[in-house]
Amino acid sequence: MKILVTGGAGFIGSHVADALLEEGHSVVVLDDLSSGRAENVPEKALFLEGDLRDAALVDRAFAEHDFDVVCHQGAQTSVSVSTREPVRDAEINVIGGLNVLEAARAHGVARFVFASTGGAIYGDIPEGQRAGEGWPPQPISPYACSKLAFERYLAAYHHEHGTPSTILRYANVYGPRQDPHGEAGVVAIFCQRLASGEKIRINAMREVGDAGCVRDYVYVADVVKANLLAIQGKLEGKVINVGSGEGTSTLQLAERIEAALGVKTDKEWGTRRAGDLERSVLEPNDELQRHTGPATPIADGIRETARWFAGRA
Ligand code: NAD
């Protein structure tokens, strides 16, 4: 198949592109390199540098290439940035996404896979519970709103035009290649800082000095597997949580990374960040896990990730 991977110069998109090429597919990456890096784009992929907000450019890409599937990973991905720049967030995540969806419809693309967020859409999940796909969305950040809005557009396009799609709601994804310099991606930030002997900061869940927010950390290889299945059409028409089902506080995460790297560091204690949920843990999707097996244990994923960052420090 010929597959368009938007955001394929980014963390997750580039891993998906690698896996698709390994399976013998042909891959075109569309990315403006705003947070992605050209060196992440696999050599065998065709790279189109461009902005999703440019409707004419997006349409030209579809006119020139006969895509079978769109895997839409390209996005403004930071919750903090979305709280500061909600209009830009919506321009990229809603209008940019619509440019891709509209071109996919106009050019008769068979399948659309969307990288949504289980980590932000469901809102705070009370202690002892996990959010399944039926949990009512309660977005509290502009980022969560833009992702949920685009999910609704996909449903509307399916209803109106029959465009088939799969929505993958990722938990907090971590792994090699994640950008440690942004504001999102605490695993990458901690790995990079600890591997370079720098201090790390635990931002508060409520009060300065607490163990920090609780998140469901999912390894990027598990996210790639979900994308491959969706691209093959095995999860068509579905909304799928891609998570580990396990809650980990920021402090526990820091200790896991310290153990993986064999280091110990002084910690700084930060205040709560705007837009941050206190607790987010997903109920892993049964159908997905029937295909892929259980999620990668956090100890294994952190070990691989820490090793990768240590090799670059
Ligand atoms: P990333 O920032 O590494 O990748 C996003 C890519 O999109 C980057 O390469 C960036 O350059 C590109 N991009 C941004 N704006 C663009 C624009 N206007 N035009 C063209 N390209 C543009 O982030 P990631 O973690 O790999 O995220 C991939 C997808 O997964 C995103 O849609 C994100 O919202 C979603 N997601 C990620 C996580 C996570 O924990 N990393 C969790 C839930 C959902």
Side-chain angles (χ1 to χ4, degrees):
M1 291 192 288
K2 190 168 201 179
I3 296 145
L4 172 67
V5 182
T6 70
F11 161 48
I12 300 168
S14 65
H15 282 287
V16 173
D18 280 342
L20 287 169
L21 287 163
E22 237 164 68
E23 291 213 330
H25 299 293
S26 148
V27 173
V28 177
V29 164
L30 173 60
D31 199 300
D32 70 349
L33 301 180
S34 53
S35 62
R37 300 159 68 93
E39 56 264 39
N40 285 346
V41 178
E43 255 177 39
K44 288 190 186 144
L46 176 70
F47 179 38
L48 306 175
E49 187 173 341
D51 193 323
L52 299 170
R53 290 168 291 185
D54 183 342
L57 176 143
V58 170
D59 189 73
R60 227 172 19 251
F62 280 79
E64 283 168 15
H65 302 275
D66 196 11
F67 298 125
D68 297 294
V69 183
V70 172
C71 180
H72 182 43
Q73 307 284 332
Q76 189 302 110
T77 58
S78 159
V79 169
S80 313
V81 168
S82 83
T83 61
R84 292 197 301 270
E85 299 180 68
V87 174
R88 189 166 76 89
D89 177 83
E91 280 169 355
I92 298 169
N93 292 0
V94 182
I95 306 297
L98 268 178
N99 287 338
V100 180
L101 181 56
E102 186 50 18
R105 179 201 62 76
H107 294 274
V109 171
R111 197 167 298 132
F112 198 104
V113 177
F114 173 51
S116 188
T117 166
I121 267 182
Y122 297 119
D124 266 314
I125 308 301
E127 184 61 45
Q129 296 193 51
R130 305 193 294 193
E133 291 86 353
W135 192 278
Q138 283 167 334
I140 62 160
S141 65
Y143 169 73
C145 290
S146 65
K147 286 286 178 179
L148 183 59
F150 193 69
E151 286 194 2
R152 301 288 198 239
Y153 277 105
L154 285 171
Y157 266 61
H158 182 247
H159 182 260
E160 195 57 30
H161 308 294
T163 314
S165 58
T166 302
I167 292 167
L168 299 175
R169 289 182 176 164
Y170 308 158
N172 282 61
V173 189
Y174 70 93
R177 267 186 223 157
Q178 189 165 27
D179 181 5
H181 304 295
E183 296 182 64
V186 65
V187 175
I189 295 168
F190 283 4
C191 283
Q192 159 93 4
R193 294 186 73 84
L194 287 171
S196 322
E198 294 170 47
K199 277 189 182 171
I200 55 172
R201 188 171 66 235
I202 313 288
N203 290 318
M205 175 199 264
R206 290 180 203 145
E207 304 290 333
V208 175
D210 65 26
C213 300
V214 172
R215 294 285 178 270
D216 180 333
Y217 292 99
V218 63
Y219 191 49
V220 68
D222 299 337
V223 176
V224 168
K225 284 185 197 163
N227 273 280
L228 292 186
L229 285 165
I231 287 166
Q232 290 157 7
K234 293 191 178 140
L235 304 170
E236 201 135 287
K238 309 228 159 104
V239 179
I240 303 276
N241 277 353
V242 188
S244 71
E246 197 185 319
T248 303
S249 71
T250 316
L251 181 59
Q252 286 171 324
L253 180 75
E255 289 168 350
R256 280 193 182 282
I257 298 172
E258 284 178 334
L261 287 168
V263 297
K264 200 89 190 143
T265 178
D266 289 341
K267 294 167 191 71
E268 293 171 346
W269 304 90
T271 51
R272 180 188 171 273
R273 291 190 321 168
D276 259 357
L277 296 169
E278 292 189 359
R279 184 176 181 279
S280 169
V281 182
L282 304 191
E283 182 71 47
N285 182 276
D286 282 345
E287 187 179 350
L288 175 62
Q289 294 212 332
R290 267 201 303 279
H291 286 288
T292 61
T296 303
I298 188 163
D300 298 352
I302 290 290
R303 199 180 321 108
E304 285 301 313
T305 308
R307 195 176 292 156
W308 187 84
F309 276 95
R312 295 166 61 89

Short mmCIF file of all heavy atoms in Angstrom, two decimals, residues 236-270:
data_model
loop_
_atom_site.label_atom_id
_atom_site.label_comp_id
_atom_site.label_asym_id
_atom_site.label_seq_id
_atom_site.Cartn_x
_atom_site.Cartn_y
_atom_site.Cartn_z
N GLU A 236 -11.25 -1.08 11.92
CA GLU A 236 -12.01 -0.06 11.19
C GLU A 236 -13.30 0.36 11.93
O GLU A 236 -14.01 -0.46 12.48
CB GLU A 236 -12.39 -0.58 9.81
CG GLU A 236 -12.71 0.54 8.88
CD GLU A 236 -12.05 0.33 7.52
OE1 GLU A 236 -10.84 0.49 7.44
OE2 GLU A 236 -12.79 0.02 6.59
N GLY A 237 -13.54 1.67 11.92
CA GLY A 237 -14.77 2.20 12.51
C GLY A 237 -14.72 2.26 14.03
O GLY A 237 -15.71 2.55 14.68
N LYS A 238 -13.57 1.97 14.61
CA LYS A 238 -13.50 1.85 16.08
C LYS A 238 -12.73 3.00 16.71
O LYS A 238 -11.88 3.63 16.09
CB LYS A 238 -12.81 0.54 16.46
CG LYS A 238 -13.42 -0.67 15.76
CD LYS A 238 -13.69 -1.78 16.71
CE LYS A 238 -14.73 -2.74 16.15
NZ LYS A 238 -14.21 -3.98 15.65
N VAL A 239 -13.07 3.23 17.99
CA VAL A 239 -12.29 4.12 18.84
C VAL A 239 -11.53 3.21 19.81
O VAL A 239 -12.15 2.39 20.49
CB VAL A 239 -13.20 5.08 19.64
CG1 VAL A 239 -12.38 5.98 20.55
CG2 VAL A 239 -14.06 5.89 18.70
N ILE A 240 -10.21 3.33 19.84
CA ILE A 240 -9.39 2.34 20.55
C ILE A 240 -8.44 3.04 21.51
O ILE A 240 -7.62 3.86 21.11
CB ILE A 240 -8.54 1.53 19.53
CG1 ILE A 240 -9.42 0.85 18.47
CG2 ILE A 240 -7.60 0.56 20.23
CD1 ILE A 240 -10.02 -0.46 18.86
N ASN A 241 -8.54 2.67 22.79
CA ASN A 241 -7.53 3.13 23.76
C ASN A 241 -6.22 2.39 23.56
O ASN A 241 -6.23 1.15 23.44
CB ASN A 241 -7.99 2.81 25.19
CG ASN A 241 -8.93 3.85 25.76
OD1 ASN A 241 -9.16 4.89 25.15
ND2 ASN A 241 -9.48 3.56 26.93
N VAL A 242 -5.12 3.14 23.54
CA VAL A 242 -3.81 2.49 23.44
C VAL A 242 -3.03 2.90 24.69
O VAL A 242 -2.44 3.98 24.76
CB VAL A 242 -3.06 2.94 22.16
CG1 VAL A 242 -1.79 2.11 22.00
CG2 VAL A 242 -3.94 2.82 20.93
N GLY A 243 -3.12 2.06 25.71
CA GLY A 243 -2.47 2.38 26.99
C GLY A 243 -1.99 1.12 27.66
O GLY A 243 -2.16 0.02 27.14
N SER A 244 -1.38 1.29 28.84
CA SER A 244 -0.88 0.13 29.58
C SER A 244 -1.86 -0.30 30.66
O SER A 244 -1.79 -1.41 31.17
CB SER A 244 0.46 0.49 30.23
OG SER A 244 0.24 1.39 31.32
N GLY A 245 -2.73 0.63 31.07
CA GLY A 245 -3.68 0.33 32.14
C GLY A 245 -3.09 0.54 33.53
O GLY A 245 -3.76 0.33 34.54
N GLU A 246 -1.83 0.96 33.58
CA GLU A 246 -1.13 1.09 34.87
C GLU A 246 -0.87 2.57 35.17
O GLU A 246 -0.43 3.30 34.28
CB GLU A 246 0.21 0.36 34.74
CG GLU A 246 0.88 0.05 36.04
CD GLU A 246 2.27 -0.57 35.80
OE1 GLU A 246 2.41 -1.39 34.88
OE2 GLU A 246 3.19 -0.18 36.52
N GLY A 247 -1.14 3.00 36.40
CA GLY A 247 -0.89 4.39 36.78
C GLY A 247 0.48 4.53 37.42
O GLY A 247 0.84 3.73 38.29
N THR A 248 1.24 5.56 37.01
CA THR A 248 2.58 5.80 37.56
C THR A 248 2.70 7.28 37.88
O THR A 248 2.41 8.12 37.02
CB THR A 248 3.67 5.41 36.53
OG1 THR A 248 3.49 4.04 36.16
CG2 THR A 248 5.07 5.60 37.08
N SER A 249 3.12 7.62 39.11
CA SER A 249 3.29 9.04 39.45
C SER A 249 4.63 9.53 38.86
O SER A 249 5.51 8.73 38.54
CB SER A 249 3.31 9.24 40.97
OG SER A 249 4.51 8.72 41.50
N THR A 250 4.77 10.85 38.77
CA THR A 250 6.01 11.41 38.21
C THR A 250 7.21 10.99 39.05
O THR A 250 8.27 10.68 38.51
CB THR A 250 5.92 12.96 38.17
OG1 THR A 250 4.64 13.32 37.68
CG2 THR A 250 6.99 13.54 37.27
N LEU A 251 7.03 10.95 40.39
CA LEU A 251 8.15 10.54 41.25
C LEU A 251 8.52 9.07 41.00
O LEU A 251 9.69 8.73 40.89
CB LEU A 251 7.79 10.77 42.72
CG LEU A 251 8.87 10.42 43.73
CD1 LEU A 251 10.15 11.21 43.49
CD2 LEU A 251 8.38 10.66 45.17
N GLN A 252 7.49 8.21 40.91
CA GLN A 252 7.78 6.79 40.63
C GLN A 252 8.51 6.64 39.30
O GLN A 252 9.43 5.83 39.16
CB GLN A 252 6.47 5.99 40.56
CG GLN A 252 5.82 5.74 41.91
CD GLN A 252 4.43 5.13 41.75
OE1 GLN A 252 3.69 5.45 40.82
NE2 GLN A 252 4.09 4.24 42.66
N LEU A 253 8.08 7.43 38.33
CA LEU A 253 8.71 7.38 37.01
C LEU A 253 10.19 7.78 37.12
O LEU A 253 11.08 7.09 36.58
CB LEU A 253 7.98 8.34 36.06
CG LEU A 253 8.55 8.38 34.66
CD1 LEU A 253 8.16 7.13 33.88
CD2 LEU A 253 8.05 9.62 33.92
N ALA A 254 10.44 8.88 37.85
CA ALA A 254 11.82 9.35 38.02
C ALA A 254 12.67 8.25 38.66
O ALA A 254 13.81 7.99 38.23
CB ALA A 254 11.83 10.60 38.89
N GLU A 255 12.10 7.56 39.66
CA GLU A 255 12.86 6.51 40.34
C GLU A 255 13.14 5.33 39.41
O GLU A 255 14.21 4.71 39.46
CB GLU A 255 12.12 6.08 41.61
CG GLU A 255 12.19 7.19 42.67
CD GLU A 255 11.25 6.99 43.86
OE1 GLU A 255 10.37 6.10 43.81
OE2 GLU A 255 11.38 7.77 44.83
N ARG A 256 12.17 5.01 38.55
CA ARG A 256 12.39 3.92 37.58
C ARG A 256 13.53 4.27 36.62
O ARG A 256 14.35 3.43 36.27
CB ARG A 256 11.13 3.69 36.75
CG ARG A 256 10.08 2.87 37.45
CD ARG A 256 9.02 2.40 36.45
NE ARG A 256 7.98 1.64 37.12
CZ ARG A 256 8.10 0.36 37.49
NH1 ARG A 256 9.24 -0.28 37.24
NH2 ARG A 256 7.11 -0.27 38.08
N ILE A 257 13.55 5.53 36.18
CA ILE A 257 14.59 5.93 35.22
C ILE A 257 15.95 5.97 35.92
O ILE A 257 16.95 5.52 35.37
CB ILE A 257 14.24 7.29 34.57
CG1 ILE A 257 12.93 7.16 33.79
CG2 ILE A 257 15.36 7.75 33.63
CD1 ILE A 257 12.37 8.47 33.25
N GLU A 258 15.96 6.46 37.16
CA GLU A 258 17.22 6.45 37.93
C GLU A 258 17.75 5.03 38.05
O GLU A 258 18.94 4.78 37.85
CB GLU A 258 16.99 7.03 39.33
CG GLU A 258 16.84 8.54 39.35
CD GLU A 258 16.57 9.08 40.76
OE1 GLU A 258 16.00 8.34 41.61
OE2 GLU A 258 16.93 10.25 41.00
N ALA A 259 16.83 4.08 38.36
CA ALA A 259 17.26 2.68 38.52
C ALA A 259 17.79 2.14 37.19
O ALA A 259 18.83 1.46 37.16
CB ALA A 259 16.09 1.84 39.01
N ALA A 260 17.12 2.48 36.08
CA ALA A 260 17.55 1.96 34.77
C ALA A 260 18.92 2.51 34.40
O ALA A 260 19.72 1.82 33.76
CB ALA A 260 16.52 2.33 33.70
N LEU A 261 19.19 3.76 34.81
CA LEU A 261 20.47 4.38 34.44
C LEU A 261 21.55 4.17 35.51
O LEU A 261 22.71 4.51 35.30
CB LEU A 261 20.28 5.89 34.22
CG LEU A 261 19.53 6.31 32.95
CD1 LEU A 261 19.16 7.78 33.01
CD2 LEU A 261 20.39 6.03 31.72
N GLY A 262 21.12 3.65 36.68
CA GLY A 262 22.07 3.46 37.78
C GLY A 262 22.57 4.78 38.33
O GLY A 262 23.75 4.90 38.67
N VAL A 263 21.68 5.78 38.42
CA VAL A 263 22.08 7.08 38.98
C VAL A 263 21.05 7.51 40.03
O VAL A 263 19.96 6.95 40.12
CB VAL A 263 22.15 8.20 37.89
CG1 VAL A 263 23.20 7.87 36.86
CG2 VAL A 263 20.79 8.43 37.25
N LYS A 264 21.42 8.51 40.80
CA LYS A 264 20.52 9.08 41.81
C LYS A 264 20.76 10.59 41.75
O LYS A 264 21.90 11.03 41.65
CB LYS A 264 20.92 8.53 43.19
CG LYS A 264 19.87 8.62 44.24
CD LYS A 264 18.96 7.39 44.26
CE LYS A 264 17.76 7.64 45.16
NZ LYS A 264 16.54 7.05 44.65
N THR A 265 19.70 11.38 41.80
CA THR A 265 19.91 12.82 41.67
C THR A 265 19.03 13.59 42.64
O THR A 265 18.00 13.08 43.10
CB THR A 265 19.59 13.29 40.24
OG1 THR A 265 19.77 14.69 40.16
CG2 THR A 265 18.17 12.99 39.85
N ASP A 266 19.47 14.83 42.92
CA ASP A 266 18.62 15.72 43.72
C ASP A 266 17.42 16.12 42.87
O ASP A 266 17.56 16.32 41.67
CB ASP A 266 19.39 17.00 44.08
CG ASP A 266 20.46 16.71 45.10
OD1 ASP A 266 20.35 15.65 45.77
OD2 ASP A 266 21.40 17.52 45.21
N LYS A 267 16.28 16.28 43.53
CA LYS A 267 15.10 16.67 42.78
C LYS A 267 14.65 18.07 43.18
O LYS A 267 14.76 18.45 44.34
CB LYS A 267 13.97 15.66 42.99
CG LYS A 267 14.34 14.33 42.39
CD LYS A 267 13.44 13.21 42.81
CE LYS A 267 14.05 11.89 42.38
NZ LYS A 267 15.25 11.48 43.13
N GLU A 268 14.12 18.80 42.20
CA GLU A 268 13.46 20.07 42.50
C GLU A 268 11.96 19.80 42.48
O GLU A 268 11.51 18.90 41.79
CB GLU A 268 13.81 21.11 41.43
CG GLU A 268 15.27 21.51 41.45
CD GLU A 268 15.66 22.35 40.26
OE1 GLU A 268 14.89 22.41 39.28
OE2 GLU A 268 16.74 22.95 40.32
N TRP A 269 11.24 20.62 43.22
CA TRP A 269 9.80 20.39 43.32
C TRP A 269 9.07 21.60 42.74
O TRP A 269 9.20 22.71 43.26
CB TRP A 269 9.40 20.12 44.78
CG TRP A 269 10.18 18.97 45.32
CD1 TRP A 269 11.38 19.02 45.96
CD2 TRP A 269 9.86 17.58 45.20
NE1 TRP A 269 11.83 17.76 46.25
CE2 TRP A 269 10.92 16.84 45.80
CE3 TRP A 269 8.77 16.87 44.65
CZ2 TRP A 269 10.93 15.45 45.87
CZ3 TRP A 269 8.79 15.49 44.72
CH2 TRP A 269 9.84 14.79 45.31
N GLY A 270 8.34 21.39 41.65
CA GLY A 270 7.67 22.50 40.97
C GLY A 270 6.19 22.61 41.35
O GLY A 270 5.64 21.72 42.01
#
